[in-house]
Amino acid sequence: MDSRRPPLVPAYRTLPEYVRHWAETTPDRRAFTFVDHPDARSRGVHRTLTWQGLDRRVRALAARLADRAEPGSRVALLCPQGTDYVTAFLAALSAEMVAVPLYPPGLAHADRLIGVLADAHPEVVVTSGRVLAEVEAFCGPSRAQVIAADPVTDGSTTTAPPLARDTGATAYLQYTSGSTRAPAGVEITHANVVANARQALTAYGADAHPVTCVGWLPLYHDMGLVLSVAAPVVGGHLSVLMDPAAFLHEPARWLRLLAAHPRTVSAAPNFAYEYCSTAVTDAQKADLRLDGVAALVNGSEPVRPGTVDRFHAAFAAQGLAADVHCPSYGLAEATVFVSASAPGEPLRRFALDRDALAAGKALPARPDDADAVLLTGCGAPVDQQVRIVDPVSRTALPDGEVGEIWVQGPNVGRGYWNNEPQSRRVFGAGLAGVPGRWLRTGDLGTLLEGQLTVTGRLKDLIVVDGRNHYPQDVEGTAQDAHPAVRRDRLAAFGVPGVRRGEGERVVVVAEHARTSRLDEIDVPALARAVRAAVSARHGLRLADVVLVAPGAVPRTSSGKVSRALTRTRYLEGAYAPRSAG
């Protein structure tokens, strides 16, 4: 699958060089704005850095880092969401150190934070003054020096070290979210992140026209870091940030920011669009105008066509155009971005025959097939190559056949930190008859009408009696079967049979909707409805349907359901008291 043209933006080699360029050419133009929501009723307090102000802060903090550690040292970022995070990240890169984007210990996933810090062994930890004491206490047992980013002022005159020049050196470690395995640090070079930022700018139409990047995704997440920091720095665009918790508390805040700026580009996972469709009130919609939205990126989860339809129906009256939705595909090992549908084009939908798809063939379903699998195309790559490969024979497959997605391009990372064997297996794959190393994504997909179409995750695939079933497909059927099942908060997975010779059994663990109390739900009736729907559509007999409280289905740090951890907890008996049978 060939790629589109590269973007037309200034050609520098590292992100700090781009910051310096914009500071010299447009010093007073706004670079980053963080919109804080200090209380539940807040409409937002704006704090802005110009390009000159950002450059001064980056230089000053880079000089402080250079006084405390050598080039190549790891610098863990435990800052809250905001401009301090941006400054710390860019300062680490400027000082030729390796940034490790993380989060303060007060957030969730504390066990993961401990594990990542133990793996990365940072020499310095950068945080913000308001959580300095908490971070110092958390990092106490380690030997890392803890410093605060915010004492650095715009007027700092400290001489900064020279900008990083080795584009092949590791710029940062992007720890994967661990949805199917333990977190691993992907080594992203300076060249990787600049290339991926340029690719994203082209994909979303931000290379030729000014845009405003609006984001609430965490900056420790790959998509949040690239689309809210790297791409705006490369393109010289304003980036408007808000805290993920502010979005979750009131999703209309995100929409207000989209409405307040011209030609906005933003990204969110599938669940966020569902959430806005149901949670934003008519009163909140009254003063929204969304006709200035240029692109809405939907990634990091299966992109459901119905979600796009519901979101557009909810906000069409506010001027939201139908062609701004950009289903996308990416992963941390490729920095983040691999392919995307271009804004201004209609959503590409594919209704596929369920039986053929289970056998590895993406064939069109009959027009009257109510059980067709509905998938969304994720567009084409930019400045990189994508192949669909038989994971056993390692040969490329023709269009319409399902296989593992392999990627080759300047955005593919160096490998996993301190894990050479896994790096060789994942980043050094050889494709029969094609030169060069390829990245094995572990994701399954196919090529349809020039569109990369993702079908599932290889490790999540459920195999019963020799037939493949995609867990997100089973989950979609289960959540449509009963209104008390919370959307996008459930996991389907296989477990070993209990009797000798018995094959894999299938289990669904689902949260109930927040609008319902567990003691008000007819749990047996819900289980019967889910079983009947899954049996009718997939030919599967569910071994167990478990209904749990909101928040009980574990999610990764990037917001995806962790099927692997849900499966582990189920096998350990964690959900037994609430089993629906």
Side-chain angles (χ1 to χ4, degrees), residues 144 186 468 487:
V186 181
N468 296 334
R487 302 191 70 84

Side-chain angles (χ1 to χ4, degrees), residues 367-444:
D368 61 345
D369 186 355
D371 289 334
V373 178
L374 302 179
L375 297 178
T376 305
C378 291
V382 174
D383 194 26
Q384 53 191 303
Q385 302 297 317
V386 170
R387 296 289 185 272
I388 303 300
V389 179
D390 182 322
V392 177
S393 67
R394 300 194 175 197
T395 56
L397 296 172
D399 291 8
E401 292 197 19
V402 177
E404 186 179 7
I405 302 170
W406 287 24
V407 179
Q408 186 183 77
N411 52 302
V412 174
R414 293 178 58 178
Y416 294 116
W417 170 254
N418 281 341
N419 195 336
E420 184 59 30
Q422 183 73 350
S423 296
R424 287 196 299 268
R425 190 189 75 79
V426 175
F427 290 84
L431 181 58
V434 181
R437 299 188 312 154
W438 290 78
L439 168 67
R440 299 190 60 171
T441 68
D443 292 316
L444 295 171

Side-chain angles (χ1 to χ4, degrees), residues 234-292:
V234 170
H237 302 306
L238 170 64
S239 180
V240 180
L241 305 168
M242 63 180 287
D243 195 284
F247 165 76
L248 293 173
H249 183 269
E250 186 182 320
R253 290 167 168 167
W254 175 43
L255 303 180
R256 291 191 196 107
L257 291 181
L258 292 176
H261 299 276
R263 290 190 53 79
T264 49
V265 175
S266 193
N270 198 78
F271 87 85
Y273 295 100
E274 288 278 9
Y275 184 35
C276 288
S277 300
T278 58
V280 177
T281 67
D282 290 340
Q284 292 171 329
K285 293 178 184 179
D287 59 350
L288 283 178
R289 290 303 306 170
L290 299 175
D291 48 351

Side-chain angles (χ1 to χ4, degrees), residues 17 30 32-33 43 73 109 113 124 135-136 238 240 246 286 352 358 500 503 545 580-581:
E17 286 181 291
R30 292 178 297 166
F32 288 88
T33 294
R43 297 279 290 191
S73 300
H109 308 286
L113 182 58
V124 183
V135 171
E136 285 178 330
L238 170 64
V240 180
L352 304 179
R500 180 178 300 228
V545 177

Side-chain angles (χ1 to χ4, degrees), residues 9 22 29-32 51 201 205-213 227-240 263 265:
V9 295
W22 299 120
R29 194 158 50 87
R30 292 178 297 166
F32 288 88
W51 285 108
L201 290 170
D207 56 332
H209 304 283
V211 300
T212 303
C213 298
L227 202 58
S228 289
V229 180
V233 165
V234 170
H237 302 306
L238 170 64
S239 180
V240 180
R263 290 190 53 79
V265 175

Side-chain angles (χ1 to χ4, degrees), residues 131 199 250 298 335 556 559:
V131 294
Q199 291 162 347
E250 186 182 320
N298 189 334
T335 306
T556 69

